[in-house]
Amino acid sequence: MAAGQSRSSNQLVVPQANQALNQLKYEVAQELGIQIPQDGYMGWMATRDAGAIGGNITRRLVQIAEQQLSGGATR
């Protein structure tokens, strides 16, 4: 398996979003002070760190969706 690829069977509904989601992963990790390995393999990361990244990505995606549904108004 090449670096940066996962074994996940999840498929994106919008494949073009892959790059944006990957960028979001790095932004969230940086904000949390978590270093993502250079080779992209996250299998050696602590579960707590991976969960924190995933949870914050989900939180941010929900915020984006709420803003879009409300017509772009921010709280």
Side-chain angles (χ1 to χ4, degrees), residues 9-65:
S9 62
N10 294 341
Q11 293 182 4
L12 295 174
V13 174
V14 181
Q16 297 83 354
N18 191 42
Q19 185 176 0
L21 288 171
N22 200 38
Q23 178 64 32
L24 185 58
K25 174 177 64 177
Y26 283 93
E27 288 176 15
V28 167
Q30 184 177 16
E31 288 173 11
L32 296 173
I34 299 170
Q35 181 70 33
I36 293 180
Q38 292 294 324
D39 64 2
Y41 178 69
M42 296 176 59
W44 300 113
M45 286 185 70
T47 303
R48 180 182 199 127
D49 290 344
I53 292 170
N56 280 282
I57 288 172
T58 302
R59 188 174 297 118
R60 180 137 349 138
L61 290 173
V62 168
Q63 288 173 343
I64 291 167

